[in-house]
Amino acid sequence: MQESVTYQAILAEGLAEGRAEEVRRVAMNLLKEGMSIEIVSKVTGLTVEQVQQLSSQETGNVRE
């Protein structure tokens, strides 16, 4: 059965979003374990700025 181009595009987008969410989850766990932002960036492939954002979000969640 051949899937439509639209279906394939939606599926690919969903898979990409899932992978990106998993990378963010791993980065958050590494930050919680005390790894530096630079190391988390290297390990996950996220930019330093993206990891800093995640770190700020985590700090904000702890205070709430």
Side-chain angles (χ1 to χ4, degrees), residues 6-53:
T6 303
Y7 173 81
Q8 290 175 2
I10 292 170
L11 180 62
E13 183 179 339
L15 290 172
E17 287 177 16
R19 283 189 292 269
E21 182 58 35
E22 182 64 15
V23 168
R24 287 189 296 273
R25 187 184 67 75
V26 169
M28 289 295 290
N29 287 336
L30 293 171
L31 288 168
K32 287 177 186 177
E33 290 298 319
M35 291 191 92
S36 73
I37 289 174
E38 291 77 18
I39 297 294
V40 173
S41 174
K42 287 179 184 178
V43 169
T44 62
L46 294 172
T47 66
V48 169
E49 292 79 17
Q50 290 170 317
V51 177
Q52 286 172 334
Q53 270 187 321

